[in-house]
Amino acid sequence: MGLVEARNLPSHVAIIMDGNGRWAQLRGLPRAAGHREGSKAVRRIVRAARRLGLKALTLYAFSEQNWARPEDEVDALMGLLRDYLLSERNEILENGIRLNAVGNLGRLPALVRAVLDPLRRETSDNSQMTLTLALSYGGREEIADAAKEIARRAVSGDIDPEDVTPETMHSLMPSLKSGDPDLVIRTGGERRISNFLLYGLAYAELHFADVLWPDFSEADLHEAIASYQLRERRFGLVGSGATVTRIAI
Ligand code: IPE
Ligand code: IPE
Ligand code: MG
């Protein structure tokens, strides 16, 4: 494990897997080839996360906004998702992984739902690691859904609007069932969140890696976690004496 300390592991790591298209473009290949290589990186990183002993891994695989991409690219992504679920089924079961999915799952094609839904059911009692795929996911959409649910409860008299707290909202966020993300990694060089886990990000540590997702290795994951382990999380409180380096000017 090299750089990573066994203690002080982030419990929940979330990854914005970006850069598949550019990986393909750099090689003069169609974007779908980048997604295919990206799905190999998913296999690699799920295994690495399990080996490290992470309790939860959330992967941003497809955003609500990604539906607006060209149809052939969307079709390729959905096909790869199905292939991934079929080919990893045994390993997911053998490793005690609980597979979950968050997002507007009703928009996913039947060919994906036909493998996703049974695997979610079959693994629902597993407890070694929760692997959550964010599919047709949007952070704003998730917040709007929670607001909608609270409005419904208020209308039906099940909740007093005065009693709505951040905890109420939190309990209505499917993406936070495994707890808030401790560490969010984005590959591919962009320094933005792109509508991922907006509510849960409040105190997440962010790690941006320039490496394109298909090239993201186990060592890159270790590097991200090692950088997380060097940070002092303060949650708005006073620090415990981290050294301050001043530059003489
Ligand atoms: C991430 O790679 C995968 C998805 C968003 C589905 P991209 O396809 O966004 O790759 P780039 O950012 O264009 O390189
Ligand atoms: C974020 O990447 C979505 C996923 C990784 C699934 P995008 O490539 O869609 O984000 P933008 O367009 O660069 O913001
Ligand atoms: Mg991208």
Side-chain angles (χ1 to χ4, degrees), residues 29-63:
L29 297 169
R31 292 178 61 86
H35 296 311
R36 196 168 316 116
E37 202 62 24
S39 74
K40 292 186 199 163
V42 172
R43 291 181 172 90
R44 187 159 71 229
I45 296 309
V46 170
R47 267 178 216 143
R50 180 71 186 80
R51 263 198 294 274
L52 278 171
L54 302 185
K55 292 314 290 176
L57 176 68
T58 297
L59 300 176
Y60 198 9
F62 193 80
S63 76

PDB file of all heavy atoms in Angstrom, residues 29-63:
ATOM      1  N   LEU A  29      -8.880   7.658 -31.534  1.00  0.00           N
ATOM      2  CA  LEU A  29      -9.922   6.622 -31.439  1.00  0.00           C
ATOM      3  C   LEU A  29     -11.283   7.266 -31.174  1.00  0.00           C
ATOM      4  O   LEU A  29     -11.355   8.400 -30.685  1.00  0.00           O
ATOM      5  CB  LEU A  29      -9.585   5.663 -30.287  1.00  0.00           C
ATOM      6  CG  LEU A  29      -8.292   4.871 -30.419  1.00  0.00           C
ATOM      7  CD1 LEU A  29      -7.946   4.168 -29.098  1.00  0.00           C
ATOM      8  CD2 LEU A  29      -8.400   3.855 -31.550  1.00  0.00           C
ATOM      9  N   PRO A  30     -12.364   6.558 -31.463  1.00  0.00           N
ATOM     10  CA  PRO A  30     -13.686   7.090 -31.109  1.00  0.00           C
ATOM     11  C   PRO A  30     -13.844   7.171 -29.586  1.00  0.00           C
ATOM     12  O   PRO A  30     -13.214   6.400 -28.855  1.00  0.00           O
ATOM     13  CB  PRO A  30     -14.664   6.057 -31.701  1.00  0.00           C
ATOM     14  CG  PRO A  30     -13.870   4.826 -31.948  1.00  0.00           C
ATOM     15  CD  PRO A  30     -12.442   5.251 -32.139  1.00  0.00           C
ATOM     16  N   ARG A  31     -14.705   8.094 -29.131  1.00  0.00           N
ATOM     17  CA  ARG A  31     -14.866   8.309 -27.685  1.00  0.00           C
ATOM     18  C   ARG A  31     -15.262   7.024 -26.954  1.00  0.00           C
ATOM     19  O   ARG A  31     -14.866   6.798 -25.814  1.00  0.00           O
ATOM     20  CB  ARG A  31     -15.919   9.396 -27.437  1.00  0.00           C
ATOM     21  CG  ARG A  31     -15.471  10.780 -27.884  1.00  0.00           C
ATOM     22  CD  ARG A  31     -16.579  11.806 -27.646  1.00  0.00           C
ATOM     23  NE  ARG A  31     -16.916  11.906 -26.234  1.00  0.00           N
ATOM     24  CZ  ARG A  31     -16.271  12.694 -25.362  1.00  0.00           C
ATOM     25  NH1 ARG A  31     -15.276  13.465 -25.767  1.00  0.00           N
ATOM     26  NH2 ARG A  31     -16.635  12.736 -24.103  1.00  0.00           N
ATOM     27  N   ALA A  32     -16.032   6.180 -27.659  1.00  0.00           N
ATOM     28  CA  ALA A  32     -16.476   4.936 -27.018  1.00  0.00           C
ATOM     29  C   ALA A  32     -15.282   4.081 -26.591  1.00  0.00           C
ATOM     30  O   ALA A  32     -15.342   3.369 -25.583  1.00  0.00           O
ATOM     31  CB  ALA A  32     -17.380   4.148 -27.962  1.00  0.00           C
ATOM     32  N   ALA A  33     -14.183   4.165 -27.343  1.00  0.00           N
ATOM     33  CA  ALA A  33     -12.990   3.383 -26.979  1.00  0.00           C
ATOM     34  C   ALA A  33     -12.436   3.876 -25.643  1.00  0.00           C
ATOM     35  O   ALA A  33     -11.925   3.091 -24.837  1.00  0.00           O
ATOM     36  CB  ALA A  33     -11.934   3.491 -28.076  1.00  0.00           C
ATOM     37  N   GLY A  34     -12.565   5.163 -25.400  1.00  0.00           N
ATOM     38  CA  GLY A  34     -12.132   5.724 -24.110  1.00  0.00           C
ATOM     39  C   GLY A  34     -13.015   5.222 -22.985  1.00  0.00           C
ATOM     40  O   GLY A  34     -12.534   4.918 -21.889  1.00  0.00           O
ATOM     41  N   HIS A  35     -14.301   5.120 -23.261  1.00  0.00           N
ATOM     42  CA  HIS A  35     -15.208   4.625 -22.220  1.00  0.00           C
ATOM     43  C   HIS A  35     -14.924   3.145 -21.918  1.00  0.00           C
ATOM     44  O   HIS A  35     -15.009   2.714 -20.778  1.00  0.00           O
ATOM     45  CB  HIS A  35     -16.669   4.820 -22.642  1.00  0.00           C
ATOM     46  CG  HIS A  35     -17.050   6.268 -22.784  1.00  0.00           C
ATOM     47  ND1 HIS A  35     -16.768   7.204 -21.809  1.00  0.00           N
ATOM     48  CD2 HIS A  35     -17.686   6.948 -23.774  1.00  0.00           C
ATOM     49  CE1 HIS A  35     -17.221   8.392 -22.195  1.00  0.00           C
ATOM     50  NE2 HIS A  35     -17.770   8.265 -23.387  1.00  0.00           N
ATOM     51  N   ARG A  36     -14.589   2.395 -22.974  1.00  0.00           N
ATOM     52  CA  ARG A  36     -14.274   0.975 -22.763  1.00  0.00           C
ATOM     53  C   ARG A  36     -13.045   0.845 -21.850  1.00  0.00           C
ATOM     54  O   ARG A  36     -13.026   0.067 -20.903  1.00  0.00           O
ATOM     55  CB  ARG A  36     -14.024   0.274 -24.109  1.00  0.00           C
ATOM     56  CG  ARG A  36     -14.072  -1.241 -23.988  1.00  0.00           C
ATOM     57  CD  ARG A  36     -14.117  -1.937 -25.347  1.00  0.00           C
ATOM     58  NE  ARG A  36     -15.051  -1.316 -26.279  1.00  0.00           N
ATOM     59  CZ  ARG A  36     -14.722  -0.725 -27.429  1.00  0.00           C
ATOM     60  NH1 ARG A  36     -13.453  -0.669 -27.813  1.00  0.00           N
ATOM     61  NH2 ARG A  36     -15.645  -0.206 -28.205  1.00  0.00           N
ATOM     62  N   GLU A  37     -12.036   1.645 -22.152  1.00  0.00           N
ATOM     63  CA  GLU A  37     -10.827   1.610 -21.319  1.00  0.00           C
ATOM     64  C   GLU A  37     -11.155   2.115 -19.905  1.00  0.00           C
ATOM     65  O   GLU A  37     -10.611   1.615 -18.915  1.00  0.00           O
ATOM     66  CB  GLU A  37      -9.756   2.492 -21.992  1.00  0.00           C
ATOM     67  CG  GLU A  37      -8.343   2.194 -21.592  1.00  0.00           C
ATOM     68  CD  GLU A  37      -7.864   0.779 -21.940  1.00  0.00           C
ATOM     69  OE1 GLU A  37      -8.409   0.145 -22.878  1.00  0.00           O
ATOM     70  OE2 GLU A  37      -6.935   0.315 -21.252  1.00  0.00           O
ATOM     71  N   GLY A  38     -12.071   3.072 -19.841  1.00  0.00           N
ATOM     72  CA  GLY A  38     -12.500   3.602 -18.538  1.00  0.00           C
ATOM     73  C   GLY A  38     -13.175   2.535 -17.698  1.00  0.00           C
ATOM     74  O   GLY A  38     -13.023   2.505 -16.473  1.00  0.00           O
ATOM     75  N   SER A  39     -13.886   1.632 -18.346  1.00  0.00           N
ATOM     76  CA  SER A  39     -14.559   0.597 -17.553  1.00  0.00           C
ATOM     77  C   SER A  39     -13.536  -0.389 -16.969  1.00  0.00           C
ATOM     78  O   SER A  39     -13.755  -0.964 -15.915  1.00  0.00           O
ATOM     79  CB  SER A  39     -15.656  -0.097 -18.363  1.00  0.00           C
ATOM     80  OG  SER A  39     -15.090  -0.967 -19.301  1.00  0.00           O
ATOM     81  N   LYS A  40     -12.394  -0.522 -17.646  1.00  0.00           N
ATOM     82  CA  LYS A  40     -11.319  -1.352 -17.057  1.00  0.00           C
ATOM     83  C   LYS A  40     -10.766  -0.682 -15.794  1.00  0.00           C
ATOM     84  O   LYS A  40     -10.426  -1.349 -14.825  1.00  0.00           O
ATOM     85  CB  LYS A  40     -10.173  -1.554 -18.061  1.00  0.00           C
ATOM     86  CG  LYS A  40     -10.557  -2.403 -19.249  1.00  0.00           C
ATOM     87  CD  LYS A  40      -9.321  -2.663 -20.102  1.00  0.00           C
ATOM     88  CE  LYS A  40      -9.717  -3.103 -21.505  1.00  0.00           C
ATOM     89  NZ  LYS A  40      -8.603  -2.980 -22.460  1.00  0.00           N
ATOM     90  N   ALA A  41     -10.686   0.645 -15.850  1.00  0.00           N
ATOM     91  CA  ALA A  41     -10.206   1.375 -14.664  1.00  0.00           C
ATOM     92  C   ALA A  41     -11.193   1.220 -13.514  1.00  0.00           C
ATOM     93  O   ALA A  41     -10.795   1.142 -12.354  1.00  0.00           O
ATOM     94  CB  ALA A  41      -9.988   2.851 -15.004  1.00  0.00           C
ATOM     95  N   VAL A  42     -12.486   1.142 -13.832  1.00  0.00           N
ATOM     96  CA  VAL A  42     -13.486   0.930 -12.770  1.00  0.00           C
ATOM     97  C   VAL A  42     -13.200  -0.396 -12.068  1.00  0.00           C
ATOM     98  O   VAL A  42     -13.140  -0.472 -10.840  1.00  0.00           O
ATOM     99  CB  VAL A  42     -14.929   0.951 -13.334  1.00  0.00           C
ATOM    100  CG1 VAL A  42     -15.930   0.539 -12.268  1.00  0.00           C
ATOM    101  CG2 VAL A  42     -15.271   2.339 -13.882  1.00  0.00           C
ATOM    102  N   ARG A  43     -12.987  -1.450 -12.844  1.00  0.00           N
ATOM    103  CA  ARG A  43     -12.694  -2.768 -12.256  1.00  0.00           C
ATOM    104  C   ARG A  43     -11.474  -2.689 -11.341  1.00  0.00           C
ATOM    105  O   ARG A  43     -11.461  -3.185 -10.226  1.00  0.00           O
ATOM    106  CB  ARG A  43     -12.425  -3.791 -13.362  1.00  0.00           C
ATOM    107  CG  ARG A  43     -13.649  -4.130 -14.179  1.00  0.00           C
ATOM    108  CD  ARG A  43     -13.320  -5.165 -15.257  1.00  0.00           C
ATOM    109  NE  ARG A  43     -14.536  -5.615 -15.900  1.00  0.00           N
ATOM    110  CZ  ARG A  43     -15.062  -5.037 -16.986  1.00  0.00           C
ATOM    111  NH1 ARG A  43     -14.489  -3.996 -17.547  1.00  0.00           N
ATOM    112  NH2 ARG A  43     -16.186  -5.497 -17.508  1.00  0.00           N
ATOM    113  N   ARG A  44     -10.429  -2.040 -11.853  1.00  0.00           N
ATOM    114  CA  ARG A  44      -9.166  -1.918 -11.121  1.00  0.00           C
ATOM    115  C   ARG A  44      -9.371  -1.174  -9.798  1.00  0.00           C
ATOM    116  O   ARG A  44      -8.890  -1.601  -8.754  1.00  0.00           O
ATOM    117  CB  ARG A  44      -8.226  -1.140 -12.057  1.00  0.00           C
ATOM    118  CG  ARG A  44      -6.821  -0.990 -11.647  1.00  0.00           C
ATOM    119  CD  ARG A  44      -5.975  -0.676 -12.887  1.00  0.00           C
ATOM    120  NE  ARG A  44      -6.200   0.672 -13.426  1.00  0.00           N
ATOM    121  CZ  ARG A  44      -6.440   0.935 -14.712  1.00  0.00           C
ATOM    122  NH1 ARG A  44      -6.529  -0.033 -15.593  1.00  0.00           N
ATOM    123  NH2 ARG A  44      -6.593   2.182 -15.115  1.00  0.00           N
ATOM    124  N   ILE A  45     -10.100  -0.077  -9.860  1.00  0.00           N
ATOM    125  CA  ILE A  45     -10.211   0.783  -8.676  1.00  0.00           C
ATOM    126  C   ILE A  45     -11.184   0.198  -7.646  1.00  0.00           C
ATOM    127  O   ILE A  45     -10.965   0.337  -6.445  1.00  0.00           O
ATOM    128  CB  ILE A  45     -10.578   2.233  -9.104  1.00  0.00           C
ATOM    129  CG1 ILE A  45      -9.432   2.833  -9.948  1.00  0.00           C
ATOM    130  CG2 ILE A  45     -10.903   3.111  -7.916  1.00  0.00           C
ATOM    131  CD1 ILE A  45      -8.029   2.734  -9.337  1.00  0.00           C
ATOM    132  N   VAL A  46     -12.206  -0.496  -8.114  1.00  0.00           N
ATOM    133  CA  VAL A  46     -13.104  -1.165  -7.156  1.00  0.00           C
ATOM    134  C   VAL A  46     -12.306  -2.212  -6.378  1.00  0.00           C
ATOM    135  O   VAL A  46     -12.399  -2.319  -5.156  1.00  0.00           O
ATOM    136  CB  VAL A  46     -14.323  -1.795  -7.866  1.00  0.00           C
ATOM    137  CG1 VAL A  46     -15.111  -2.690  -6.919  1.00  0.00           C
ATOM    138  CG2 VAL A  46     -15.222  -0.693  -8.431  1.00  0.00           C
ATOM    139  N   ARG A  47     -11.480  -2.979  -7.088  1.00  0.00           N
ATOM    140  CA  ARG A  47     -10.639  -3.977  -6.415  1.00  0.00           C
ATOM    141  C   ARG A  47      -9.683  -3.321  -5.422  1.00  0.00           C
ATOM    142  O   ARG A  47      -9.519  -3.784  -4.292  1.00  0.00           O
ATOM    143  CB  ARG A  47      -9.784  -4.734  -7.448  1.00  0.00           C
ATOM    144  CG  ARG A  47     -10.475  -5.978  -7.873  1.00  0.00           C
ATOM    145  CD  ARG A  47      -9.722  -6.748  -8.930  1.00  0.00           C
ATOM    146  NE  ARG A  47     -10.749  -7.301  -9.791  1.00  0.00           N
ATOM    147  CZ  ARG A  47     -10.665  -7.424 -11.092  1.00  0.00           C
ATOM    148  NH1 ARG A  47      -9.578  -7.065 -11.728  1.00  0.00           N
ATOM    149  NH2 ARG A  47     -11.661  -7.933 -11.770  1.00  0.00           N
ATOM    150  N   ALA A  48      -9.076  -2.240  -5.866  1.00  0.00           N
ATOM    151  CA  ALA A  48      -8.098  -1.556  -4.999  1.00  0.00           C
ATOM    152  C   ALA A  48      -8.786  -1.001  -3.749  1.00  0.00           C
ATOM    153  O   ALA A  48      -8.232  -1.076  -2.643  1.00  0.00           O
ATOM    154  CB  ALA A  48      -7.417  -0.427  -5.771  1.00  0.00           C
ATOM    155  N   ALA A  49      -9.991  -0.484  -3.921  1.00  0.00           N
ATOM    156  CA  ALA A  49     -10.720   0.085  -2.780  1.00  0.00           C
ATOM    157  C   ALA A  49     -11.070  -1.012  -1.784  1.00  0.00           C
ATOM    158  O   ALA A  49     -10.972  -0.843  -0.568  1.00  0.00           O
ATOM    159  CB  ALA A  49     -11.992   0.778  -3.263  1.00  0.00           C
ATOM    160  N   ARG A  50     -11.442  -2.148  -2.313  1.00  0.00           N
ATOM    161  CA  ARG A  50     -11.805  -3.293  -1.471  1.00  0.00           C
ATOM    162  C   ARG A  50     -10.572  -3.786  -0.707  1.00  0.00           C
ATOM    163  O   ARG A  50     -10.645  -4.083   0.479  1.00  0.00           O
ATOM    164  CB  ARG A  50     -12.373  -4.378  -2.385  1.00  0.00           C
ATOM    165  CG  ARG A  50     -12.820  -5.633  -1.749  1.00  0.00           C
ATOM    166  CD  ARG A  50     -14.089  -5.454  -0.936  1.00  0.00           C
ATOM    167  NE  ARG A  50     -14.359  -6.704  -0.258  1.00  0.00           N
ATOM    168  CZ  ARG A  50     -13.759  -7.086   0.853  1.00  0.00           C
ATOM    169  NH1 ARG A  50     -12.895  -6.297   1.450  1.00  0.00           N
ATOM    170  NH2 ARG A  50     -14.039  -8.245   1.395  1.00  0.00           N
ATOM    171  N   ARG A  51      -9.440  -3.830  -1.415  1.00  0.00           N
ATOM    172  CA  ARG A  51      -8.193  -4.263  -0.762  1.00  0.00           C
ATOM    173  C   ARG A  51      -7.797  -3.320   0.375  1.00  0.00           C
ATOM    174  O   ARG A  51      -7.299  -3.744   1.398  1.00  0.00           O
ATOM    175  CB  ARG A  51      -7.044  -4.287  -1.784  1.00  0.00           C
ATOM    176  CG  ARG A  51      -6.777  -5.667  -2.361  1.00  0.00           C
ATOM    177  CD  ARG A  51      -5.387  -5.729  -2.993  1.00  0.00           C
ATOM    178  NE  ARG A  51      -5.277  -4.882  -4.158  1.00  0.00           N
ATOM    179  CZ  ARG A  51      -5.622  -5.269  -5.394  1.00  0.00           C
ATOM    180  NH1 ARG A  51      -6.080  -6.474  -5.600  1.00  0.00           N
ATOM    181  NH2 ARG A  51      -5.492  -4.441  -6.416  1.00  0.00           N
ATOM    182  N   LEU A  52      -8.021  -2.022   0.146  1.00  0.00           N
ATOM    183  CA  LEU A  52      -7.669  -1.042   1.177  1.00  0.00           C
ATOM    184  C   LEU A  52      -8.585  -1.141   2.389  1.00  0.00           C
ATOM    185  O   LEU A  52      -8.228  -0.711   3.475  1.00  0.00           O
ATOM    186  CB  LEU A  52      -7.797   0.382   0.615  1.00  0.00           C
ATOM    187  CG  LEU A  52      -6.659   0.945  -0.206  1.00  0.00           C
ATOM    188  CD1 LEU A  52      -7.091   2.258  -0.844  1.00  0.00           C
ATOM    189  CD2 LEU A  52      -5.426   1.165   0.663  1.00  0.00           C
ATOM    190  N   GLY A  53      -9.784  -1.645   2.155  1.00  0.00           N
ATOM    191  CA  GLY A  53     -10.740  -1.734   3.258  1.00  0.00           C
ATOM    192  C   GLY A  53     -11.639  -0.508   3.377  1.00  0.00           C
ATOM    193  O   GLY A  53     -12.146  -0.223   4.464  1.00  0.00           O
ATOM    194  N   LEU A  54     -11.844   0.218   2.272  1.00  0.00           N
ATOM    195  CA  LEU A  54     -12.780   1.350   2.324  1.00  0.00           C
ATOM    196  C   LEU A  54     -14.190   0.819   2.587  1.00  0.00           C
ATOM    197  O   LEU A  54     -14.552  -0.244   2.091  1.00  0.00           O
ATOM    198  CB  LEU A  54     -12.776   2.125   0.996  1.00  0.00           C
ATOM    199  CG  LEU A  54     -11.443   2.703   0.520  1.00  0.00           C
ATOM    200  CD1 LEU A  54     -11.659   3.547  -0.736  1.00  0.00           C
ATOM    201  CD2 LEU A  54     -10.780   3.536   1.613  1.00  0.00           C
ATOM    202  N   LYS A  55     -14.969   1.553   3.338  1.00  0.00           N
ATOM    203  CA  LYS A  55     -16.333   1.110   3.625  1.00  0.00           C
ATOM    204  C   LYS A  55     -17.287   1.471   2.488  1.00  0.00           C
ATOM    205  O   LYS A  55     -18.278   0.786   2.268  1.00  0.00           O
ATOM    206  CB  LYS A  55     -16.854   1.731   4.940  1.00  0.00           C
ATOM    207  CG  LYS A  55     -16.177   1.246   6.193  1.00  0.00           C
ATOM    208  CD  LYS A  55     -15.997  -0.269   6.271  1.00  0.00           C
ATOM    209  CE  LYS A  55     -17.298  -1.048   6.458  1.00  0.00           C
ATOM    210  NZ  LYS A  55     -17.041  -2.518   6.429  1.00  0.00           N
ATOM    211  N   ALA A  56     -17.003   2.563   1.808  1.00  0.00           N
ATOM    212  CA  ALA A  56     -17.916   2.988   0.747  1.00  0.00           C
ATOM    213  C   ALA A  56     -17.156   3.671  -0.385  1.00  0.00           C
ATOM    214  O   ALA A  56     -16.234   4.458  -0.155  1.00  0.00           O
ATOM    215  CB  ALA A  56     -18.968   3.940   1.314  1.00  0.00           C
ATOM    216  N   LEU A  57     -17.543   3.315  -1.599  1.00  0.00           N
ATOM    217  CA  LEU A  57     -16.968   3.929  -2.799  1.00  0.00           C
ATOM    218  C   LEU A  57     -18.130   4.334  -3.697  1.00  0.00           C
ATOM    219  O   LEU A  57     -18.999   3.510  -4.016  1.00  0.00           O
ATOM    220  CB  LEU A  57     -16.083   2.910  -3.529  1.00  0.00           C
ATOM    221  CG  LEU A  57     -15.478   3.365  -4.856  1.00  0.00           C
ATOM    222  CD1 LEU A  57     -14.428   4.463  -4.626  1.00  0.00           C
ATOM    223  CD2 LEU A  57     -14.815   2.183  -5.587  1.00  0.00           C
ATOM    224  N   THR A  58     -18.177   5.607  -4.052  1.00  0.00           N
ATOM    225  CA  THR A  58     -19.233   6.090  -4.950  1.00  0.00           C
ATOM    226  C   THR A  58     -18.585   6.554  -6.250  1.00  0.00           C
ATOM    227  O   THR A  58     -17.629   7.334  -6.222  1.00  0.00           O
ATOM    228  CB  THR A  58     -20.023   7.247  -4.298  1.00  0.00           C
ATOM    229  OG1 THR A  58     -20.670   6.761  -3.126  1.00  0.00           O
ATOM    230  CG2 THR A  58     -21.076   7.818  -5.250  1.00  0.00           C
ATOM    231  N   LEU A  59     -19.080   6.050  -7.356  1.00  0.00           N
ATOM    232  CA  LEU A  59     -18.493   6.388  -8.659  1.00  0.00           C
ATOM    233  C   LEU A  59     -19.507   7.146  -9.506  1.00  0.00           C
ATOM    234  O   LEU A  59     -20.631   6.663  -9.731  1.00  0.00           O
ATOM    235  CB  LEU A  59     -18.071   5.105  -9.381  1.00  0.00           C
ATOM    236  CG  LEU A  59     -17.025   4.252  -8.657  1.00  0.00           C
ATOM    237  CD1 LEU A  59     -16.764   2.965  -9.444  1.00  0.00           C
ATOM    238  CD2 LEU A  59     -15.716   5.027  -8.462  1.00  0.00           C
ATOM    239  N   TYR A  60     -19.107   8.310  -9.970  1.00  0.00           N
ATOM    240  CA  TYR A  60     -19.965   9.127 -10.839  1.00  0.00           C
ATOM    241  C   TYR A  60     -19.752   8.599 -12.265  1.00  0.00           C
ATOM    242  O   TYR A  60     -18.741   8.886 -12.895  1.00  0.00           O
ATOM    243  CB  TYR A  60     -19.516  10.579 -10.726  1.00  0.00           C
ATOM    244  CG  TYR A  60     -20.487  11.641 -11.181  1.00  0.00           C
ATOM    245  CD1 TYR A  60     -21.814  11.375 -11.521  1.00  0.00           C
ATOM    246  CD2 TYR A  60     -20.058  12.975 -11.227  1.00  0.00           C
ATOM    247  CE1 TYR A  60     -22.682  12.394 -11.896  1.00  0.00           C
ATOM    248  CE2 TYR A  60     -20.923  14.001 -11.600  1.00  0.00           C
ATOM    249  CZ  TYR A  60     -22.228  13.703 -11.929  1.00  0.00           C
ATOM    250  OH  TYR A  60     -23.083  14.719 -12.304  1.00  0.00           O
ATOM    251  N   ALA A  61     -20.705   7.798 -12.708  1.00  0.00           N
ATOM    252  CA  ALA A  61     -20.529   7.116 -13.991  1.00  0.00           C
ATOM    253  C   ALA A  61     -21.281   7.809 -15.121  1.00  0.00           C
ATOM    254  O   ALA A  61     -20.872   7.718 -16.289  1.00  0.00           O
ATOM    255  CB  ALA A  61     -21.013   5.677 -13.883  1.00  0.00           C
ATOM    256  N   PHE A  62     -22.382   8.491 -14.787  1.00  0.00           N
ATOM    257  CA  PHE A  62     -23.190   9.109 -15.847  1.00  0.00           C
ATOM    258  C   PHE A  62     -24.074  10.172 -15.205  1.00  0.00           C
ATOM    259  O   PHE A  62     -24.837   9.877 -14.282  1.00  0.00           O
ATOM    260  CB  PHE A  62     -24.053   8.029 -16.521  1.00  0.00           C
ATOM    261  CG  PHE A  62     -24.690   8.467 -17.804  1.00  0.00           C
ATOM    262  CD1 PHE A  62     -23.962   8.475 -18.991  1.00  0.00           C
ATOM    263  CD2 PHE A  62     -26.011   8.895 -17.830  1.00  0.00           C
ATOM    264  CE1 PHE A  62     -24.546   8.888 -20.191  1.00  0.00           C
ATOM    265  CE2 PHE A  62     -26.599   9.305 -19.021  1.00  0.00           C
ATOM    266  CZ  PHE A  62     -25.863   9.301 -20.201  1.00  0.00           C
ATOM    267  N   SER A  63     -23.963  11.395 -15.687  1.00  0.00           N
ATOM    268  CA  SER A  63     -24.746  12.474 -15.078  1.00  0.00           C
ATOM    269  C   SER A  63     -26.076  12.640 -15.807  1.00  0.00           C
ATOM    270  O   SER A  63     -26.239  12.199 -16.952  1.00  0.00           O
ATOM    271  CB  SER A  63     -23.958  13.786 -15.106  1.00  0.00           C
ATOM    272  OG  SER A  63     -23.976  14.341 -16.403  1.00  0.00           O
TER     273      SER A  63
END
